[in-house]
Amino acid sequence: MQFTGKTVEEAIEKGLKELGIEKKNALITVINEPVKGLFGIIKTMAKVEIIENKTEEQKVEEFVKEIAKFMDFDVSTEVYEKDGSTVIKLNSNDSSNIIGYRGEVLDAIQTLAGASMNIGRVEYKKVVVDCENYRDKREETLISLAKKLEQKATEMRREVILEPMSPYERRIIHTSLANSETCTTKSDGKEPNRYVIIVPNDKDEFSTPYNAGRNKGDRKYSRQRKDSRKKSSGFKSRYGKDSKKSGFTEQKRKTTISFGTYLGNSLKDK
């Protein structure tokens, strides 16, 4: 915005007061110096342009607020530095939806905020978006989970596959087991379904992984089991086309199929 005054100082003071900011937080450009005419009468007023010099933290805070507004979330924010990261804390009565299922919504907002913060930066600046201390609580949960599954992997001598996680959460698992004497960790899969595998040091080479997360990482083993069930339990594979050998009447087969169909639909509804 542009402001005028009899002097440059007066124009600046007027502008700072109207904008409600301090001089240290302002970018000031002098457009015109005052010009005096005959007898010292001011012919042209001084003119300056004043723009609020927002810091990167303020910019990304406003960016996050705009995202929340676009998503119909009413939030207030707090910004502070922690361990070299910019933390943006969201406060809202709708915190459960802002966090989302296992932090998915919060992670998405954090990803966008991080991208906004690091546009044009040479050195990467980490941004953490938090709500209701979810990050600390989730970290405690993941550390506890990692320790339990470390013990399970050691006892079973089998790899343990965890559910897909964000890079931030996978890092917590890796770090919590970095000093383990019985297991190591590795990541596998592709984003966004990348997951951690806990590998026991004395792994049984003939064992199949234990899928603790019920994730897609164990597809090949579940597919093998599925194919095996088809070969061993299929009606046609046992008795061929001659249904009389089965010992079931037509009425019994219809009843069985009907019950199975009803059960399947009921589970789907749930």
Side-chain angles (χ1 to χ4, degrees), residues 223-257:
R223 188 183 300 117
Q224 289 174 358
R225 290 193 295 270
K226 186 176 180 181
D227 292 342
S228 176
R229 288 196 299 269
K230 283 183 178 179
K231 291 179 181 178
S232 62
S233 62
F235 177 79
K236 180 179 283 189
S237 63
R238 286 185 178 184
Y239 303 107
K241 296 181 180 180
D242 189 358
S243 61
K244 293 181 180 179
K245 294 181 180 180
S246 66
F248 289 98
T249 65
E250 187 68 22
Q251 182 62 35
K252 286 182 180 180
R253 284 199 299 273
K254 286 183 179 180
T255 302
T256 302
I257 294 172

PDB file of all heavy atoms in Angstrom, residues 223-257:
ATOM      1  N   ARG A 223      -1.695 -65.380  -2.314  1.00  0.00           N
ATOM      2  CA  ARG A 223      -2.122 -65.919  -3.599  1.00  0.00           C
ATOM      3  C   ARG A 223      -1.820 -67.412  -3.672  1.00  0.00           C
ATOM      4  O   ARG A 223      -2.609 -68.205  -4.183  1.00  0.00           O
ATOM      5  CB  ARG A 223      -1.418 -65.186  -4.742  1.00  0.00           C
ATOM      6  CG  ARG A 223      -1.958 -65.562  -6.117  1.00  0.00           C
ATOM      7  CD  ARG A 223      -1.194 -64.867  -7.228  1.00  0.00           C
ATOM      8  NE  ARG A 223      -1.284 -63.434  -7.101  1.00  0.00           N
ATOM      9  CZ  ARG A 223      -0.236 -62.660  -6.888  1.00  0.00           C
ATOM     10  NH1 ARG A 223       0.966 -63.182  -6.752  1.00  0.00           N
ATOM     11  NH2 ARG A 223      -0.375 -61.349  -6.798  1.00  0.00           N
ATOM     12  N   GLN A 224      -0.652 -67.815  -3.131  1.00  0.00           N
ATOM     13  CA  GLN A 224      -0.302 -69.234  -3.121  1.00  0.00           C
ATOM     14  C   GLN A 224      -1.299 -70.031  -2.296  1.00  0.00           C
ATOM     15  O   GLN A 224      -1.730 -71.113  -2.677  1.00  0.00           O
ATOM     16  CB  GLN A 224       1.115 -69.405  -2.550  1.00  0.00           C
ATOM     17  CG  GLN A 224       2.205 -68.909  -3.491  1.00  0.00           C
ATOM     18  CD  GLN A 224       3.569 -68.948  -2.833  1.00  0.00           C
ATOM     19  OE1 GLN A 224       3.693 -69.311  -1.670  1.00  0.00           O
ATOM     20  NE2 GLN A 224       4.595 -68.587  -3.587  1.00  0.00           N
ATOM     21  N   ARG A 225      -1.657 -69.461  -1.128  1.00  0.00           N
ATOM     22  CA  ARG A 225      -2.622 -70.162  -0.270  1.00  0.00           C
ATOM     23  C   ARG A 225      -3.986 -70.247  -0.944  1.00  0.00           C
ATOM     24  O   ARG A 225      -4.678 -71.255  -0.860  1.00  0.00           O
ATOM     25  CB  ARG A 225      -2.724 -69.433   1.077  1.00  0.00           C
ATOM     26  CG  ARG A 225      -1.495 -69.558   1.937  1.00  0.00           C
ATOM     27  CD  ARG A 225      -1.783 -69.105   3.355  1.00  0.00           C
ATOM     28  NE  ARG A 225      -2.099 -67.688   3.417  1.00  0.00           N
ATOM     29  CZ  ARG A 225      -1.182 -66.737   3.586  1.00  0.00           C
ATOM     30  NH1 ARG A 225       0.099 -67.066   3.672  1.00  0.00           N
ATOM     31  NH2 ARG A 225      -1.555 -65.472   3.670  1.00  0.00           N
ATOM     32  N   LYS A 226      -4.366 -69.175  -1.642  1.00  0.00           N
ATOM     33  CA  LYS A 226      -5.655 -69.140  -2.326  1.00  0.00           C
ATOM     34  C   LYS A 226      -5.698 -70.181  -3.440  1.00  0.00           C
ATOM     35  O   LYS A 226      -6.670 -70.915  -3.607  1.00  0.00           O
ATOM     36  CB  LYS A 226      -5.899 -67.742  -2.889  1.00  0.00           C
ATOM     37  CG  LYS A 226      -7.277 -67.566  -3.503  1.00  0.00           C
ATOM     38  CD  LYS A 226      -7.466 -66.128  -3.939  1.00  0.00           C
ATOM     39  CE  LYS A 226      -8.847 -65.932  -4.551  1.00  0.00           C
ATOM     40  NZ  LYS A 226      -9.048 -64.538  -4.996  1.00  0.00           N
ATOM     41  N   ASP A 227      -4.604 -70.233  -4.221  1.00  0.00           N
ATOM     42  CA  ASP A 227      -4.535 -71.209  -5.304  1.00  0.00           C
ATOM     43  C   ASP A 227      -4.571 -72.628  -4.756  1.00  0.00           C
ATOM     44  O   ASP A 227      -5.181 -73.522  -5.336  1.00  0.00           O
ATOM     45  CB  ASP A 227      -3.248 -71.002  -6.114  1.00  0.00           C
ATOM     46  CG  ASP A 227      -3.272 -69.692  -6.892  1.00  0.00           C
ATOM     47  OD1 ASP A 227      -4.379 -69.139  -7.072  1.00  0.00           O
ATOM     48  OD2 ASP A 227      -2.201 -69.228  -7.305  1.00  0.00           O
ATOM     49  N   SER A 228      -3.914 -72.807  -3.612  1.00  0.00           N
ATOM     50  CA  SER A 228      -3.881 -74.140  -2.999  1.00  0.00           C
ATOM     51  C   SER A 228      -5.278 -74.565  -2.560  1.00  0.00           C
ATOM     52  O   SER A 228      -5.666 -75.716  -2.734  1.00  0.00           O
ATOM     53  CB  SER A 228      -2.928 -74.118  -1.792  1.00  0.00           C
ATOM     54  OG  SER A 228      -2.946 -75.358  -1.141  1.00  0.00           O
ATOM     55  N   ARG A 229      -6.048 -73.624  -1.990  1.00  0.00           N
ATOM     56  CA  ARG A 229      -7.404 -73.948  -1.550  1.00  0.00           C
ATOM     57  C   ARG A 229      -8.295 -74.295  -2.734  1.00  0.00           C
ATOM     58  O   ARG A 229      -9.126 -75.182  -2.665  1.00  0.00           O
ATOM     59  CB  ARG A 229      -8.000 -72.760  -0.779  1.00  0.00           C
ATOM     60  CG  ARG A 229      -7.394 -72.573   0.587  1.00  0.00           C
ATOM     61  CD  ARG A 229      -8.292 -71.656   1.427  1.00  0.00           C
ATOM     62  NE  ARG A 229      -8.420 -70.348   0.833  1.00  0.00           N
ATOM     63  CZ  ARG A 229      -7.622 -69.333   1.106  1.00  0.00           C
ATOM     64  NH1 ARG A 229      -6.605 -69.501   1.943  1.00  0.00           N
ATOM     65  NH2 ARG A 229      -7.821 -68.146   0.556  1.00  0.00           N
ATOM     66  N   LYS A 230      -8.094 -73.578  -3.855  1.00  0.00           N
ATOM     67  CA  LYS A 230      -8.894 -73.855  -5.042  1.00  0.00           C
ATOM     68  C   LYS A 230      -8.659 -75.270  -5.547  1.00  0.00           C
ATOM     69  O   LYS A 230      -9.575 -75.982  -5.933  1.00  0.00           O
ATOM     70  CB  LYS A 230      -8.542 -72.852  -6.148  1.00  0.00           C
ATOM     71  CG  LYS A 230      -9.151 -71.478  -5.944  1.00  0.00           C
ATOM     72  CD  LYS A 230      -8.810 -70.574  -7.110  1.00  0.00           C
ATOM     73  CE  LYS A 230      -9.457 -69.217  -6.954  1.00  0.00           C
ATOM     74  NZ  LYS A 230      -9.114 -68.327  -8.086  1.00  0.00           N
ATOM     75  N   LYS A 231      -7.388 -75.698  -5.527  1.00  0.00           N
ATOM     76  CA  LYS A 231      -7.054 -77.019  -6.049  1.00  0.00           C
ATOM     77  C   LYS A 231      -7.582 -78.135  -5.158  1.00  0.00           C
ATOM     78  O   LYS A 231      -7.981 -79.181  -5.622  1.00  0.00           O
ATOM     79  CB  LYS A 231      -5.534 -77.139  -6.181  1.00  0.00           C
ATOM     80  CG  LYS A 231      -4.959 -76.250  -7.280  1.00  0.00           C
ATOM     81  CD  LYS A 231      -3.454 -76.385  -7.342  1.00  0.00           C
ATOM     82  CE  LYS A 231      -2.850 -75.482  -8.421  1.00  0.00           C
ATOM     83  NZ  LYS A 231      -1.380 -75.587  -8.451  1.00  0.00           N
ATOM     84  N   SER A 232      -7.548 -77.879  -3.844  1.00  0.00           N
ATOM     85  CA  SER A 232      -7.888 -78.960  -2.916  1.00  0.00           C
ATOM     86  C   SER A 232      -9.362 -79.043  -2.559  1.00  0.00           C
ATOM     87  O   SER A 232      -9.848 -80.096  -2.199  1.00  0.00           O
ATOM     88  CB  SER A 232      -7.073 -78.794  -1.620  1.00  0.00           C
ATOM     89  OG  SER A 232      -7.408 -77.567  -1.007  1.00  0.00           O
ATOM     90  N   SER A 233     -10.092 -77.929  -2.620  1.00  0.00           N
ATOM     91  CA  SER A 233     -11.462 -77.950  -2.115  1.00  0.00           C
ATOM     92  C   SER A 233     -12.523 -77.667  -3.164  1.00  0.00           C
ATOM     93  O   SER A 233     -13.700 -77.632  -2.836  1.00  0.00           O
ATOM     94  CB  SER A 233     -11.593 -76.915  -0.985  1.00  0.00           C
ATOM     95  OG  SER A 233     -11.340 -75.617  -1.484  1.00  0.00           O
ATOM     96  N   GLY A 234     -12.150 -77.445  -4.392  1.00  0.00           N
ATOM     97  CA  GLY A 234     -13.142 -77.138  -5.420  1.00  0.00           C
ATOM     98  C   GLY A 234     -14.068 -78.312  -5.703  1.00  0.00           C
ATOM     99  O   GLY A 234     -13.636 -79.463  -5.766  1.00  0.00           O
ATOM    100  N   PHE A 235     -15.363 -78.030  -5.884  1.00  0.00           N
ATOM    101  CA  PHE A 235     -16.362 -79.084  -6.113  1.00  0.00           C
ATOM    102  C   PHE A 235     -16.051 -79.857  -7.390  1.00  0.00           C
ATOM    103  O   PHE A 235     -16.049 -81.063  -7.417  1.00  0.00           O
ATOM    104  CB  PHE A 235     -17.753 -78.435  -6.187  1.00  0.00           C
ATOM    105  CG  PHE A 235     -18.852 -79.403  -6.490  1.00  0.00           C
ATOM    106  CD1 PHE A 235     -19.363 -80.221  -5.508  1.00  0.00           C
ATOM    107  CD2 PHE A 235     -19.377 -79.499  -7.785  1.00  0.00           C
ATOM    108  CE1 PHE A 235     -20.381 -81.109  -5.773  1.00  0.00           C
ATOM    109  CE2 PHE A 235     -20.383 -80.392  -8.060  1.00  0.00           C
ATOM    110  CZ  PHE A 235     -20.892 -81.191  -7.060  1.00  0.00           C
ATOM    111  N   LYS A 236     -15.710 -79.102  -8.442  1.00  0.00           N
ATOM    112  CA  LYS A 236     -15.481 -79.762  -9.727  1.00  0.00           C
ATOM    113  C   LYS A 236     -14.196 -80.579  -9.698  1.00  0.00           C
ATOM    114  O   LYS A 236     -14.121 -81.657 -10.285  1.00  0.00           O
ATOM    115  CB  LYS A 236     -15.409 -78.715 -10.845  1.00  0.00           C
ATOM    116  CG  LYS A 236     -15.177 -79.347 -12.212  1.00  0.00           C
ATOM    117  CD  LYS A 236     -15.137 -78.309 -13.314  1.00  0.00           C
ATOM    118  CE  LYS A 236     -16.525 -77.847 -13.648  1.00  0.00           C
ATOM    119  NZ  LYS A 236     -16.528 -76.991 -14.851  1.00  0.00           N
ATOM    120  N   SER A 237     -13.147 -80.085  -9.027  1.00  0.00           N
ATOM    121  CA  SER A 237     -11.879 -80.799  -9.040  1.00  0.00           C
ATOM    122  C   SER A 237     -11.984 -82.136  -8.313  1.00  0.00           C
ATOM    123  O   SER A 237     -11.257 -83.057  -8.608  1.00  0.00           O
ATOM    124  CB  SER A 237     -10.791 -79.942  -8.378  1.00  0.00           C
ATOM    125  OG  SER A 237     -11.109 -79.727  -7.020  1.00  0.00           O
ATOM    126  N   ARG A 238     -12.895 -82.258  -7.359  1.00  0.00           N
ATOM    127  CA  ARG A 238     -13.048 -83.525  -6.634  1.00  0.00           C
ATOM    128  C   ARG A 238     -13.896 -84.529  -7.397  1.00  0.00           C
ATOM    129  O   ARG A 238     -13.598 -85.705  -7.456  1.00  0.00           O
ATOM    130  CB  ARG A 238     -13.707 -83.271  -5.276  1.00  0.00           C
ATOM    131  CG  ARG A 238     -12.797 -82.626  -4.240  1.00  0.00           C
ATOM    132  CD  ARG A 238     -13.515 -82.542  -2.921  1.00  0.00           C
ATOM    133  NE  ARG A 238     -12.678 -81.975  -1.885  1.00  0.00           N
ATOM    134  CZ  ARG A 238     -13.041 -81.853  -0.617  1.00  0.00           C
ATOM    135  NH1 ARG A 238     -14.242 -82.267  -0.255  1.00  0.00           N
ATOM    136  NH2 ARG A 238     -12.237 -81.337   0.265  1.00  0.00           N
ATOM    137  N   TYR A 239     -14.969 -84.020  -7.969  1.00  0.00           N
ATOM    138  CA  TYR A 239     -15.949 -84.955  -8.527  1.00  0.00           C
ATOM    139  C   TYR A 239     -16.190 -84.793 -10.023  1.00  0.00           C
ATOM    140  O   TYR A 239     -16.994 -85.503 -10.602  1.00  0.00           O
ATOM    141  CB  TYR A 239     -17.287 -84.779  -7.793  1.00  0.00           C
ATOM    142  CG  TYR A 239     -17.154 -84.984  -6.322  1.00  0.00           C
ATOM    143  CD1 TYR A 239     -17.211 -83.890  -5.449  1.00  0.00           C
ATOM    144  CD2 TYR A 239     -16.951 -86.247  -5.800  1.00  0.00           C
ATOM    145  CE1 TYR A 239     -17.086 -84.068  -4.096  1.00  0.00           C
ATOM    146  CE2 TYR A 239     -16.829 -86.431  -4.431  1.00  0.00           C
ATOM    147  CZ  TYR A 239     -16.893 -85.345  -3.587  1.00  0.00           C
ATOM    148  OH  TYR A 239     -16.765 -85.518  -2.245  1.00  0.00           O
ATOM    149  N   GLY A 240     -15.496 -83.822 -10.626  1.00  0.00           N
ATOM    150  CA  GLY A 240     -15.681 -83.631 -12.056  1.00  0.00           C
ATOM    151  C   GLY A 240     -17.064 -83.122 -12.360  1.00  0.00           C
ATOM    152  O   GLY A 240     -17.702 -82.464 -11.556  1.00  0.00           O
ATOM    153  N   LYS A 241     -17.594 -83.465 -13.535  1.00  0.00           N
ATOM    154  CA  LYS A 241     -18.897 -82.976 -13.963  1.00  0.00           C
ATOM    155  C   LYS A 241     -20.058 -83.787 -13.392  1.00  0.00           C
ATOM    156  O   LYS A 241     -21.199 -83.378 -13.438  1.00  0.00           O
ATOM    157  CB  LYS A 241     -18.984 -82.994 -15.491  1.00  0.00           C
ATOM    158  CG  LYS A 241     -17.992 -82.042 -16.149  1.00  0.00           C
ATOM    159  CD  LYS A 241     -18.146 -82.074 -17.639  1.00  0.00           C
ATOM    160  CE  LYS A 241     -17.170 -81.121 -18.312  1.00  0.00           C
ATOM    161  NZ  LYS A 241     -17.303 -81.142 -19.786  1.00  0.00           N
ATOM    162  N   ASP A 242     -19.775 -84.990 -12.896  1.00  0.00           N
ATOM    163  CA  ASP A 242     -20.841 -85.863 -12.412  1.00  0.00           C
ATOM    164  C   ASP A 242     -21.200 -85.493 -10.982  1.00  0.00           C
ATOM    165  O   ASP A 242     -20.548 -85.920 -10.030  1.00  0.00           O
ATOM    166  CB  ASP A 242     -20.370 -87.323 -12.474  1.00  0.00           C
ATOM    167  CG  ASP A 242     -21.525 -88.273 -12.195  1.00  0.00           C
ATOM    168  OD1 ASP A 242     -22.643 -87.764 -11.925  1.00  0.00           O
ATOM    169  OD2 ASP A 242     -21.304 -89.484 -12.251  1.00  0.00           O
ATOM    170  N   SER A 243     -22.221 -84.668 -10.803  1.00  0.00           N
ATOM    171  CA  SER A 243     -22.589 -84.183  -9.471  1.00  0.00           C
ATOM    172  C   SER A 243     -23.194 -85.275  -8.603  1.00  0.00           C
ATOM    173  O   SER A 243     -23.295 -85.118  -7.398  1.00  0.00           O
ATOM    174  CB  SER A 243     -23.590 -83.019  -9.580  1.00  0.00           C
ATOM    175  OG  SER A 243     -24.773 -83.460 -10.234  1.00  0.00           O
ATOM    176  N   LYS A 244     -23.617 -86.425  -9.171  1.00  0.00           N
ATOM    177  CA  LYS A 244     -24.238 -87.490  -8.385  1.00  0.00           C
ATOM    178  C   LYS A 244     -23.251 -88.090  -7.406  1.00  0.00           C
ATOM    179  O   LYS A 244     -23.627 -88.617  -6.372  1.00  0.00           O
ATOM    180  CB  LYS A 244     -24.789 -88.582  -9.311  1.00  0.00           C
ATOM    181  CG  LYS A 244     -25.962 -88.104 -10.161  1.00  0.00           C
ATOM    182  CD  LYS A 244     -26.476 -89.216 -11.033  1.00  0.00           C
ATOM    183  CE  LYS A 244     -27.659 -88.758 -11.903  1.00  0.00           C
ATOM    184  NZ  LYS A 244     -28.155 -89.831 -12.767  1.00  0.00           N
ATOM    185  N   LYS A 245     -21.948 -88.038  -7.728  1.00  0.00           N
ATOM    186  CA  LYS A 245     -20.943 -88.629  -6.867  1.00  0.00           C
ATOM    187  C   LYS A 245     -20.766 -87.859  -5.564  1.00  0.00           C
ATOM    188  O   LYS A 245     -20.177 -88.343  -4.625  1.00  0.00           O
ATOM    189  CB  LYS A 245     -19.598 -88.701  -7.596  1.00  0.00           C
ATOM    190  CG  LYS A 245     -19.603 -89.645  -8.781  1.00  0.00           C
ATOM    191  CD  LYS A 245     -18.242 -89.687  -9.433  1.00  0.00           C
ATOM    192  CE  LYS A 245     -18.210 -90.633 -10.638  1.00  0.00           C
ATOM    193  NZ  LYS A 245     -16.896 -90.664 -11.258  1.00  0.00           N
ATOM    194  N   SER A 246     -21.258 -86.675  -5.535  1.00  0.00           N
ATOM    195  CA  SER A 246     -21.030 -85.834  -4.357  1.00  0.00           C
ATOM    196  C   SER A 246     -21.886 -86.250  -3.173  1.00  0.00           C
ATOM    197  O   SER A 246     -21.570 -85.949  -2.040  1.00  0.00           O
ATOM    198  CB  SER A 246     -21.334 -84.371  -4.683  1.00  0.00           C
ATOM    199  OG  SER A 246     -22.711 -84.214  -4.957  1.00  0.00           O
ATOM    200  N   GLY A 247     -23.035 -86.906  -3.440  1.00  0.00           N
ATOM    201  CA  GLY A 247     -23.899 -87.287  -2.352  1.00  0.00           C
ATOM    202  C   GLY A 247     -24.868 -86.199  -1.959  1.00  0.00           C
ATOM    203  O   GLY A 247     -25.657 -86.372  -1.046  1.00  0.00           O
ATOM    204  N   PHE A 248     -24.826 -85.049  -2.627  1.00  0.00           N
ATOM    205  CA  PHE A 248     -25.730 -83.939  -2.323  1.00  0.00           C
ATOM    206  C   PHE A 248     -26.866 -83.924  -3.333  1.00  0.00           C
ATOM    207  O   PHE A 248     -26.660 -84.161  -4.509  1.00  0.00           O
ATOM    208  CB  PHE A 248     -24.988 -82.590  -2.401  1.00  0.00           C
ATOM    209  CG  PHE A 248     -24.026 -82.385  -1.276  1.00  0.00           C
ATOM    210  CD1 PHE A 248     -22.672 -82.657  -1.451  1.00  0.00           C
ATOM    211  CD2 PHE A 248     -24.468 -81.937  -0.044  1.00  0.00           C
ATOM    212  CE1 PHE A 248     -21.786 -82.468  -0.415  1.00  0.00           C
ATOM    213  CE2 PHE A 248     -23.581 -81.743   0.986  1.00  0.00           C
ATOM    214  CZ  PHE A 248     -22.239 -82.011   0.810  1.00  0.00           C
ATOM    215  N   THR A 249     -28.076 -83.623  -2.853  1.00  0.00           N
ATOM    216  CA  THR A 249     -29.209 -83.465  -3.757  1.00  0.00           C
ATOM    217  C   THR A 249     -29.200 -82.059  -4.323  1.00  0.00           C
ATOM    218  O   THR A 249     -28.517 -81.176  -3.816  1.00  0.00           O
ATOM    219  CB  THR A 249     -30.528 -83.689  -3.001  1.00  0.00           C
ATOM    220  OG1 THR A 249     -30.677 -82.651  -2.019  1.00  0.00           O
ATOM    221  CG2 THR A 249     -30.565 -85.052  -2.335  1.00  0.00           C
ATOM    222  N   GLU A 250     -29.989 -81.866  -5.343  1.00  0.00           N
ATOM    223  CA  GLU A 250     -30.085 -80.543  -5.971  1.00  0.00           C
ATOM    224  C   GLU A 250     -30.609 -79.513  -4.979  1.00  0.00           C
ATOM    225  O   GLU A 250     -30.150 -78.387  -4.929  1.00  0.00           O
ATOM    226  CB  GLU A 250     -31.020 -80.623  -7.185  1.00  0.00           C
ATOM    227  CG  GLU A 250     -31.046 -79.329  -8.023  1.00  0.00           C
ATOM    228  CD  GLU A 250     -29.739 -79.095  -8.724  1.00  0.00           C
ATOM    229  OE1 GLU A 250     -28.986 -80.075  -8.912  1.00  0.00           O
ATOM    230  OE2 GLU A 250     -29.459 -77.937  -9.076  1.00  0.00           O
ATOM    231  N   GLN A 251     -31.564 -79.929  -4.145  1.00  0.00           N
ATOM    232  CA  GLN A 251     -32.149 -79.014  -3.168  1.00  0.00           C
ATOM    233  C   GLN A 251     -31.103 -78.573  -2.142  1.00  0.00           C
ATOM    234  O   GLN A 251     -31.038 -77.415  -1.755  1.00  0.00           O
ATOM    235  CB  GLN A 251     -33.317 -79.709  -2.465  1.00  0.00           C
ATOM    236  CG  GLN A 251     -34.030 -78.809  -1.442  1.00  0.00           C
ATOM    237  CD  GLN A 251     -34.639 -77.594  -2.106  1.00  0.00           C
ATOM    238  OE1 GLN A 251     -35.109 -77.663  -3.234  1.00  0.00           O
ATOM    239  NE2 GLN A 251     -34.616 -76.465  -1.399  1.00  0.00           N
ATOM    240  N   LYS A 252     -30.281 -79.499  -1.697  1.00  0.00           N
ATOM    241  CA  LYS A 252     -29.242 -79.171  -0.723  1.00  0.00           C
ATOM    242  C   LYS A 252     -28.237 -78.205  -1.300  1.00  0.00           C
ATOM    243  O   LYS A 252     -27.769 -77.296  -0.635  1.00  0.00           O
ATOM    244  CB  LYS A 252     -28.533 -80.452  -0.262  1.00  0.00           C
ATOM    245  CG  LYS A 252     -29.357 -81.314   0.672  1.00  0.00           C
ATOM    246  CD  LYS A 252     -28.557 -82.505   1.111  1.00  0.00           C
ATOM    247  CE  LYS A 252     -29.362 -83.384   2.051  1.00  0.00           C
ATOM    248  NZ  LYS A 252     -28.596 -84.560   2.491  1.00  0.00           N
ATOM    249  N   ARG A 253     -27.871 -78.405  -2.586  1.00  0.00           N
ATOM    250  CA  ARG A 253     -26.907 -77.500  -3.211  1.00  0.00           C
ATOM    251  C   ARG A 253     -27.475 -76.105  -3.298  1.00  0.00           C
ATOM    252  O   ARG A 253     -26.801 -75.117  -3.061  1.00  0.00           O
ATOM    253  CB  ARG A 253     -26.509 -78.020  -4.590  1.00  0.00           C
ATOM    254  CG  ARG A 253     -25.544 -79.191  -4.542  1.00  0.00           C
ATOM    255  CD  ARG A 253     -24.844 -79.332  -5.884  1.00  0.00           C
ATOM    256  NE  ARG A 253     -25.808 -79.586  -6.960  1.00  0.00           N
ATOM    257  CZ  ARG A 253     -26.238 -80.775  -7.298  1.00  0.00           C
ATOM    258  NH1 ARG A 253     -25.837 -81.850  -6.624  1.00  0.00           N
ATOM    259  NH2 ARG A 253     -27.097 -80.920  -8.295  1.00  0.00           N
ATOM    260  N   LYS A 254     -28.744 -75.991  -3.636  1.00  0.00           N
ATOM    261  CA  LYS A 254     -29.369 -74.664  -3.745  1.00  0.00           C
ATOM    262  C   LYS A 254     -29.400 -73.975  -2.387  1.00  0.00           C
ATOM    263  O   LYS A 254     -29.142 -72.793  -2.263  1.00  0.00           O
ATOM    264  CB  LYS A 254     -30.779 -74.800  -4.292  1.00  0.00           C
ATOM    265  CG  LYS A 254     -30.832 -75.119  -5.780  1.00  0.00           C
ATOM    266  CD  LYS A 254     -32.270 -75.176  -6.256  1.00  0.00           C
ATOM    267  CE  LYS A 254     -32.315 -75.472  -7.761  1.00  0.00           C
ATOM    268  NZ  LYS A 254     -33.707 -75.527  -8.245  1.00  0.00           N
ATOM    269  N   THR A 255     -29.717 -74.757  -1.358  1.00  0.00           N
ATOM    270  CA  THR A 255     -29.772 -74.179  -0.016  1.00  0.00           C
ATOM    271  C   THR A 255     -28.407 -73.681   0.422  1.00  0.00           C
ATOM    272  O   THR A 255     -28.261 -72.599   0.964  1.00  0.00           O
ATOM    273  CB  THR A 255     -30.279 -75.233   0.991  1.00  0.00           C
ATOM    274  OG1 THR A 255     -31.549 -75.697   0.573  1.00  0.00           O
ATOM    275  CG2 THR A 255     -30.360 -74.635   2.397  1.00  0.00           C
ATOM    276  N   THR A 256     -27.386 -74.474   0.130  1.00  0.00           N
ATOM    277  CA  THR A 256     -26.025 -74.092   0.517  1.00  0.00           C
ATOM    278  C   THR A 256     -25.588 -72.834  -0.201  1.00  0.00           C
ATOM    279  O   THR A 256     -25.028 -71.912   0.373  1.00  0.00           O
ATOM    280  CB  THR A 256     -25.039 -75.234   0.193  1.00  0.00           C
ATOM    281  OG1 THR A 256     -25.464 -76.408   0.879  1.00  0.00           O
ATOM    282  CG2 THR A 256     -23.628 -74.862   0.621  1.00  0.00           C
ATOM    283  N   ILE A 257     -25.865 -72.779  -1.500  1.00  0.00           N
ATOM    284  CA  ILE A 257     -25.476 -71.595  -2.288  1.00  0.00           C
ATOM    285  C   ILE A 257     -26.220 -70.368  -1.815  1.00  0.00           C
ATOM    286  O   ILE A 257     -25.658 -69.294  -1.685  1.00  0.00           O
ATOM    287  CB  ILE A 257     -25.751 -71.843  -3.783  1.00  0.00           C
ATOM    288  CG1 ILE A 257     -24.833 -72.956  -4.305  1.00  0.00           C
ATOM    289  CG2 ILE A 257     -25.550 -70.579  -4.596  1.00  0.00           C
ATOM    290  CD1 ILE A 257     -25.153 -73.401  -5.715  1.00  0.00           C
TER     291      ILE A 257
END
